[in-house]
Amino acid sequence: MRKKRNRFLLGSTMMTAGLLLLFFGAVETAFQTGDVTVRYDDLVSTFEYETDPYFSSALAKWREQGVRDARTSVYAEGAKPSAVSDGQAIYAGEYAGKPNVLIWKTENTGWVEYQVDVAESALYEIHVSYYPLKEGGHKGPVQWDVTIDGERAFREASSTVLYRTWEDVRPILKNSDGDEIRPRSIDVSDWSIRPLIDSGGAYTQPLQWHFTAGTHTIRLTGYTPVAIERIELAPSQPVPAYGEVAAKHADVPSIDGEALTLQAEDFTYKNDTAIKLFSDKNARTVPRYTGRIIYNTVGGLRWLEQNQEITWSFEVPETGLYKIGFRALQNTIAQKTSFRTIRIDGQVPFREFLAYGFPYSASWRGVILQDDDRNPYLVKLEKGAHTLSMAVTQAPVKSIIVDIEKTIAHLDSIDWDLRTITGTKNTGSLDRKGTLDRNRTWSMDQDFPGLTDRIELAAAVMESLSRRVVEANGNKDSISQGLETSAKDLRSLLEKPEEIPYNIDEISSMREKFATFIDTLSKQSLQLDEVYIIPEKADAPSMEAGFFERIWGSAANFVYSFDPRDSLRNLDDTKLNIWVQRGRDYVDQLQQLADESFTPDTGIEVKVNLLPNPELLLMSNAAGVQPDIALGLTQDLPVNYAIRGTLQDLSKLEGFEELHAKFSPGSWLPLYYDGGYYGVPETQSFQVLFYRKDILERLKVGIPDTWEDVYELLPTLQQNFMNFYVNPNEFTYYFYQNGVEFYEPGGVKLGLDRPEAYKAYKQWTDLFNTYAVEREVPSFYQHFRSGTMPIGISDYNMYVQLLAAAPELNGRWGIALIPGTRQSDGTISRWAGGGQRTGVIFDQSNKKEEAWAFLKWWLSAEVQEQYGSDLEAVNGVAFRWNTSNVEALRNLPWKKEDAEVILKQWMWYKDIPNVPGGYFLEREIHNAWVRTVVRRANYMSSLEQTVRDVNRELLRKQQEFGFIDEQGNRVKELDIPIVDRPWEGIDRYVE
């Protein structure tokens, strides 16, 4: 009984009927459940955002044509390309111990071509002997767009990938409080021979290409520096079923002995710096948590993205058959199964390990890898050293994701046709009734021929998808239930078809909901504490905490929770106290860097604490407890605190002018108050134009340079059922580009009652009223990926999201300067803000000199570059540091062509000054937007009302803080700097 309690009995093939599909995650054109066959090919789309087929579809077509797997290999020497894009940056030479290899060092996107003579018309994998270059700080994998004879065989060929090899630095260091510091990852990549795989993790086997007999040209396009020794067109290696493998091992003697236990956090390699260690407080987790952070597990929320792989090394004392087990936690998404491809010594031993499922469990469980009948899988291991690898795969759910995408496109077409006939605008949640005439009686057969059939098909597809999710998952979850509920809602609409036009928004909401399903299905979280290699006849070790162990552990954790060392109330007067409003990873990295560099150089000890909420600064000030420095504050807070006299005026400190010149004048605007600067720009976001290169090329349209170009582009987009994205909450660039300052001199009145301001405001609101730009977009990122919004203005967060989570778009998107406004002299104004995080020194600090020394050290190019590099090395590209130091940003591993765009846009960086009562501006200008766009009020009267309301608050606040007396007479002038020229200091950093 104890053995049963200690194991989480698990079947590996939850998709028994579709087991063969695990090789390539095939995309079905029809799916049969019970007696019902649903034809997914009958789903319609208003616009084919992708014209290339999926690899699975291309493979199925080749198989139907009788194309077989290759039997021999074809080679091309890396140092002998037939053509290259840049002979200066791509050349033959010696690298890392190998002579005569290709060294590819382009800073921008480049390409290499190889000619191959193929004797056999067949399917080939492409294997590469490669070495990812480590110079230049690149940390991502090598990604290539692969074309054969100028054609892309399938869409996944645009984002093939070869991974780096990473180690976590050991031993794990501790800070002064005894907390472990999450280790850095170091690139230990060496020469490797690996096949090209799909960057999206949709397939458990390498990609294949069909080469006919004859001469062909392979083009590899990318920008990651790499050395190439050889390209091989290789035959595919079939993976046998477990039954075949077990039959071959029938004569292997059974062995007994002690199970080998590996601590999962002590892995040997990983292929992504984003895979991280975690501290767990469970009573059974080893090493035990004792009140201080100890990294005793690996994975969880940092091991859920496509292809992320962990490798452990171990030795077995004798040859024999072994079971494999884990102490695992899979509780990120309720009732959802996560899948892993399992390899022994780099190879998948049998088909059942191609995509092994780990079901949801609310708590830690013991898992023995076994079949549906609860018989453990046995793996033959020879005496000696071996490796065990586990990689995230989406293969079991990829076909479901594809068909959900098709369903969304199908619903889009229904929504579009309904709105086209009824005249209803897609206004989102702001105005659900739109302009629909509710007194009209609709005849579906006459007004919308074939529409009810399309809705019926959508309902049938949703029901089928729901069953397929259950089959893949092993049980119902929120996705299967959501699909089932949506199918019922559609069938409910079909009961009264004449009322369907009145329920358009119900269909729209389904599209938004299904988009979240895709994201959820893609996440494959799994956290591990221990790994077990168990001889065939041996019992598994105890893998779960017993009852009394759990009680004792809970009591101990309760006691540890009262540890005062993390309390913000307990300041150490012997150290410089710094509070940081960022996550724990940022805090730990700063503490480590300060201990390694700042303290040894200056002798000043530093204590960095996490500030969970900026409101604690005000409360702590009232309690007489305040740090010396606060970092990571939003740009409105420094002036807000300065008004109340709690901050040091940094402009009075020695060396400020030198520091001031390193940052753009527009970034200092929100930090200036009454003649002084009360904060420093720490990080800085940016507004740039994101665009899909592939879709704009198909539409034969260019990148808009001005707003007039945007207006000309919009009809083309909308005729093809696409749109341009602008964030309705962003308004600064309309006003600044039209020469409007938000405040008059003195800051007691808005500067928005001028003709130029009305023009700018009308330009903003006309985008939604006249040009039909979407008023409400839940996720521009998702629309950009799907192609429904292939162009739009967004920020740093969008950039990092695309870089980290959209590998399938590799090479297919770019950024450009935001659309500008042409001036009377012919120049184009591109003013835009972006938002900053800032640092401040508190006036009550008795260590102001030390605090100022720290701030100057912290903001230096060298330290910002080191911090950004360390942060990305520890946490992955999703933690790309958007430093406000231009020199540091230039040296971080940005793609050169993207860095050029970002820096050129920074020339025009300009945020809104902060004045007493200025908090009213953003609120009231958005109220004006709602009045004009939603309620269709006159734009001039709406803006006039905002000016009156904000002016009242500005006057009240200036009276409160002594700038104006009760009679309305000015007592002292509030100075507001004017920035009206692009920053020339950036010129030396851009080409």
Side-chain angles (χ1 to χ4, degrees):
M1 290 293 291
R2 179 172 179 78
K3 195 182 300 182
K4 289 184 179 179
R5 284 196 301 270
N6 287 341
R7 295 182 188 176
F8 188 47
L9 299 177
L10 177 64
S12 71
T13 52
M14 298 185 175
M15 293 172 61
T16 306
L19 183 60
L20 294 176
L21 301 182
L22 291 181
F23 280 101
F24 298 110
V27 180
E28 294 293 292
T29 58
F31 197 92
Q32 184 165 351
T33 51
D35 297 329
V36 180
T37 299
V38 178
R39 296 289 307 176
Y40 288 83
D41 275 353
D42 292 339
L43 293 169
V44 299
S45 174
T46 52
F47 182 83
E48 291 295 332
Y49 301 103
E50 300 283 355
T51 55
D52 297 321
Y54 281 101
F55 167 63
S56 52
S57 299
L59 180 66
K61 184 177 180 180
W62 292 329
R63 297 293 190 196
E64 289 174 6
Q65 294 171 351
V67 182
R68 62 186 181 183
D69 289 330
R71 291 172 292 184
T72 58
S73 293
V74 179
Y75 297 94
E77 293 302 317
K80 297 179 180 179
S82 58
V84 299
S85 61
D86 183 352
Q88 298 295 316
I90 306 174
Y91 53 90
E94 185 274 336
Y95 196 85
K98 287 187 181 286
N100 200 30
V101 299
L102 186 80
I103 302 172
W104 185 344
K105 286 187 174 180
T106 53
E107 294 182 312
N108 296 322
T109 301
W111 53 263
V112 176
E113 289 184 347
Y114 293 95
Q115 281 194 344
V116 291
D117 293 319
V118 179
E120 177 187 15
S121 179
L123 297 175
Y124 295 84
E125 297 175 359
I126 298 179
H127 293 211
V128 185
S129 176
Y130 72 104
Y131 190 114
L133 305 192
K134 300 170 187 176
E135 302 96 309
H138 288 272
K139 296 176 173 60
V142 177
Q143 289 185 295
W144 287 334
D145 180 357
V146 180
T147 58
I148 311 298
D149 300 327
E151 300 291 334
R152 190 181 293 122
F154 40 83
R155 67 180 66 180
E156 290 87 351
S158 69
S159 57
T160 65
V161 67
L162 296 166
Y163 284 95
R164 297 175 186 265
T165 303
W166 297 88
E167 283 183 357
D168 275 1
V169 174
R170 293 293 193 276
I172 296 177
L173 303 177
K174 293 184 178 181
N175 62 23
S176 58
D177 285 336
D179 291 322
E180 287 190 346
I181 301 171
R182 187 174 272 127
R184 294 181 60 199
S185 301
I186 55 174
D187 189 349
V188 294
S189 302
D190 204 340
W191 285 102
S192 304
I193 301 176
R194 293 177 185 167
L196 294 181
I197 62 174
D198 163 43
S199 64
Y203 308 102
T204 56
Q205 291 283 76
L207 300 170
Q208 291 178 288
W209 282 261
H210 177 209
F211 286 85
T212 58
T215 301
H216 297 277
T217 299
I218 303 172
R219 173 178 282 198
L220 310 174
T221 304
Y223 66 89
T224 307
V226 64
I228 302 173
E229 180 190 22
R230 186 176 62 252
I231 306 289
E232 176 188 0
L233 306 187
S236 178
Q237 299 298 318
V239 180
Y242 177 71
E244 299 174 44
V245 176
K248 294 179 181 178
H249 298 158
D251 296 333
V252 177
S254 298
I255 58 173
D256 204 344
E258 291 292 324
L260 178 63
T261 300
L262 311 175
Q263 292 303 315
E265 65 274 13
D266 293 330
F267 56 82
T268 308
Y269 303 117
K270 59 185 180 182
N271 69 353
D272 189 339
T273 57
I275 300 171
K276 288 295 148 203
L277 308 184
F278 273 89
S279 179
D280 182 76
K281 300 180 181 180
N282 185 273
R284 170 59 182 78
T285 301
V286 178
R288 176 74 175 99
Y289 171 81
T290 55
R292 294 286 89 190
I293 293 173
I294 181 168
Y295 291 113
N296 49 11
T297 68
V298 66
L301 291 172
R302 302 300 291 277
W303 187 30
L304 50 69
E305 300 289 352
Q306 57 279 350
N307 295 329
Q308 289 180 328
E309 185 174 56
I310 301 175
T311 299
W312 296 268
S313 298
F314 62 94
E315 291 189 20
V316 294
E318 59 181 316
T319 299
L321 300 178
Y322 290 82
K323 297 172 284 189
I324 299 175
F326 304 92
R327 184 168 188 269
L329 177 65
Q330 203 281 91
N331 65 348
T332 303
I333 301 173
Q335 306 306 321
K336 181 182 179 298
T337 297
S338 289
F339 297 92
R340 294 293 184 273
T341 298
I342 300 170
R343 296 181 175 89
I344 305 296
D345 299 327
Q347 302 295 322
V348 179
F350 37 81
R351 197 176 300 157
E352 287 75 3
F353 275 12
L354 285 169
Y356 194 93
F358 291 80
Y360 171 84
S361 62
S363 58
W364 286 95
R365 291 287 185 267
V367 176
I368 301 296
L369 303 186
Q370 56 194 351
D371 63 22
D372 290 337
D373 297 323
R374 300 183 177 181
N375 298 312
Y377 289 120
L378 299 174
V379 178
K380 183 183 178 182
L381 298 174
E382 299 291 337
K383 178 182 177 180
H386 297 274
T387 61
L388 166 67
S389 303
M390 298 177 68
V392 177
T393 180
Q394 296 179 10
V397 297
K398 179 58 179 181
S399 63
I400 298 172
I401 291 173
V402 170
D403 286 332
I404 290 178
E405 290 173 345
K406 288 182 179 179
T407 305
I408 293 172
H410 185 78
L411 293 174
D412 276 337
S413 71
I414 293 172
D415 180 271
W416 180 267
D417 288 348
L418 283 169
R419 295 185 189 279
T420 300
I421 300 298
T422 63
T424 308
K425 294 186 178 181
N426 189 357
T427 58
S429 62
L430 292 172
D431 184 14
R432 286 296 183 187
K433 294 184 180 180
T435 60
L436 181 62
D437 180 3
R438 292 183 168 267
N439 295 316
R440 178 172 176 175
T441 301
W442 300 95
S443 170
M444 295 304 293
D445 291 336
Q446 180 178 339
D447 297 321
F448 306 94
L451 192 69
T452 53
D453 292 337
R454 288 157 62 192
I455 295 176
E456 172 62 40
L457 174 62
V461 165
M462 292 174 194
E463 291 166 344
S464 173
L465 285 169
S466 176
R467 291 189 286 266
R468 289 167 61 188
V469 170
V470 172
E471 191 173 357
N473 207 40
N475 52 264
K476 286 190 173 184
D477 66 350
S478 60
I479 296 175
S480 61
Q481 291 171 341
L483 288 164
E484 187 177 349
T485 300
S486 295
K488 290 179 180 177
D489 291 341
L490 288 185
R491 296 199 183 282
S492 177
L493 291 178
L494 289 170
E495 291 176 3
K496 295 182 178 180
E498 68 280 356
E499 295 185 6
I500 290 175
Y502 305 124
N503 294 278
I504 301 175
D505 291 308
E506 190 169 337
I507 295 173
S508 298
S509 66
M510 289 180 189
R511 295 152 52 206
E512 297 171 8
K513 180 169 64 176
F514 291 178
T516 65
F517 290 168
I518 292 174
D519 186 58
T520 302
L521 283 169
S522 300
K523 304 301 182 186
Q524 307 285 333
S525 171
L526 181 66
Q527 190 170 349
L528 298 179
D529 173 34
E530 292 178 332
V531 181
Y532 308 103
I533 310 299
I534 309 166
E536 179 183 6
K537 295 177 66 177
D539 290 335
S542 173
M543 294 185 276
E544 298 174 26
F547 175 76
F548 291 108
E549 193 176 9
R550 291 197 302 271
I551 295 297
W552 175 254
S554 297
N557 289 340
F558 179 73
V559 173
Y560 296 144
S561 69
F562 291 97
D563 192 317
R565 283 180 289 182
D566 273 339
S567 173
L568 295 177
R569 297 183 59 183
N570 298 316
L571 299 182
D572 189 340
D573 290 336
T574 66
K575 297 180 181 180
L576 191 66
N577 290 284
I578 302 172
W579 292 359
V580 181
Q581 193 193 347
R582 290 192 176 94
R584 171 60 64 183
D585 290 307
Y586 295 91
V587 171
D588 289 347
Q589 206 66 46
L590 177 56
Q591 181 72 70
Q592 183 176 355
L593 187 58
D595 291 344
E596 291 175 354
S597 174
F598 179 72
T599 299
D601 290 345
T602 63
I604 302 170
E605 290 192 73
V606 171
K607 172 59 179 172
V608 184
N609 268 325
L610 187 149
L611 176 66
N613 189 326
E615 293 178 1
L616 291 175
L617 287 171
L618 290 177
M619 292 186 283
S620 65
N621 180 53
V625 179
Q626 210 160 53
D628 302 295
I629 296 174
L631 300 175
L633 304 182
T634 55
Q635 66 183 19
D636 61 306
L637 292 180
V639 168
N640 192 15
Y641 294 151
I643 291 172
R644 291 158 177 81
T646 62
L647 296 185
Q648 166 68 38
D649 179 1
L650 303 180
S651 65
K652 295 179 179 179
L653 300 178
E654 183 179 355
F656 176 79
E657 290 301 323
E658 182 182 352
L659 181 71
H660 183 275
K662 294 180 179 179
F663 302 91
S664 68
S667 66
W668 289 105
L669 276 179
L671 309 176
Y672 182 88
Y673 172 70
D674 198 19
Y677 290 95
Y678 290 88
V680 290
E682 207 187 355
T683 62
Q684 187 171 308
S685 188
F686 48 80
Q687 297 281 331
V688 292
L689 183 71
F690 291 81
Y691 64 95
R692 286 280 299 271
K693 298 177 182 178
D694 52 344
I695 293 180
L696 294 195
E697 184 178 341
R698 284 172 55 203
L699 294 175
K700 294 180 172 54
V701 295
I703 303 168
D705 194 39
T706 67
W707 287 104
E708 293 299 325
D709 296 336
V710 173
Y711 305 148
E712 292 177 7
L713 171 65
L714 279 166
T716 302
L717 291 175
Q718 292 165 355
Q719 286 163 13
N720 289 283
F721 311 99
M722 292 179 277
N723 215 330
F724 187 95
Y725 173 76
V726 291
N727 185 342
N729 295 318
E730 290 288 345
F731 56 88
T732 57
Y733 37 77
Y734 307 105
F735 291 95
Y736 279 149
Q737 289 181 14
N738 281 284
V740 178
E741 297 294 333
F742 283 95
Y743 299 102
E744 292 184 358
V748 75
K749 288 184 179 181
L750 283 183
L752 303 184
D753 54 357
R754 301 163 45 203
E756 295 87 349
Y758 290 118
K759 176 186 174 184
Y761 179 72
K762 187 174 188 298
Q763 179 186 359
W764 177 29
T765 55
D766 274 357
L767 278 171
F768 308 94
N769 285 341
T770 304
Y771 294 101
V773 168
E774 295 284 351
R775 301 178 187 177
E776 187 175 350
V777 179
S779 172
F780 174 45
Y781 164 72
Q782 291 292 357
H783 283 281
F784 190 79
R785 287 182 73 179
S786 68
T788 53
M789 286 187 177
I791 185 168
I793 300 171
S794 195
D795 58 10
Y796 154 81
N797 292 317
M798 173 73 170
Y799 185 93
V800 171
Q801 203 170 9
L802 287 172
L803 208 63
E808 76 280 3
L809 295 183
N810 172 47
R812 296 159 66 186
W813 63 276
I815 61 174
L817 301 177
I818 70 168
T821 301
R822 194 173 298 278
Q823 306 299 296
S824 58
D825 61 358
T827 60
I828 298 176
S829 170
R830 301 187 192 275
W831 292 112
Q836 304 173 114
R837 290 286 177 159
T838 64
V840 301
I841 296 176
F842 284 90
D843 192 53
Q844 292 182 2
S845 171
N846 58 5
K847 304 184 186 69
K848 291 180 182 177
E849 287 188 14
E850 294 91 336
W852 182 233
F854 178 87
L855 272 188
K856 290 190 292 183
W857 168 85
W858 170 234
L859 294 173
S860 67
E862 180 183 359
V863 173
Q864 284 290 292
E865 181 184 349
Q866 182 65 52
Y867 182 77
S869 297
D870 290 349
L871 198 65
E872 195 165 334
V874 171
N875 300 285
V877 69
F879 279 67
R880 175 70 54 84
W881 182 242
N882 58 323
T883 175
S884 58
N885 185 298
V886 176
E887 184 179 348
L889 182 134
R890 196 72 180 84
N891 294 328
L892 287 171
W894 298 85
K895 191 176 178 181
K896 184 181 178 182
E897 56 202 67
D898 292 346
E900 289 286 317
V901 171
I902 294 167
L903 293 178
K904 286 179 180 178
Q905 186 60 56
W906 267 9
M907 293 174 62
W908 298 93
Y909 188 90
K910 184 177 179 180
D911 257 313
I912 302 175
N914 286 309
V915 301
Y919 58 84
F920 232 54
L921 169 62
E922 186 170 348
R923 187 181 80 179
E924 289 304 317
I925 204 164
H926 283 298
N927 286 342
W929 183 90
V930 171
R931 288 192 296 268
T932 305
V933 175
V934 180
R935 301 173 190 168
R936 297 304 178 93
N938 177 270
Y939 76 95
M940 293 188 70
S941 61
S942 183
L943 186 57
E944 287 169 354
Q945 180 178 337
T946 288
V947 171
R948 289 194 300 270
D949 292 343
V950 175
N951 284 348
R952 274 197 301 269
E953 185 67 11
L954 293 177
L955 175 62
R956 190 178 71 85
K957 282 296 181 180
Q958 289 217 13
Q959 288 176 331
E960 179 182 343
F961 292 109
F963 289 93
I964 296 176
D965 62 23
E966 294 182 358
Q967 287 71 41
N969 301 312
R970 179 163 294 281
V971 176
K972 58 179 179 178
E973 192 73 21
L974 179 65
D975 180 32
I976 301 178
I978 298 295
V979 176
D980 55 7
R981 295 178 60 187
W983 183 32
E984 296 176 353
I986 200 119
D987 290 346
R988 65 181 183 272
Y989 299 106
V990 297
E991 295 181 358

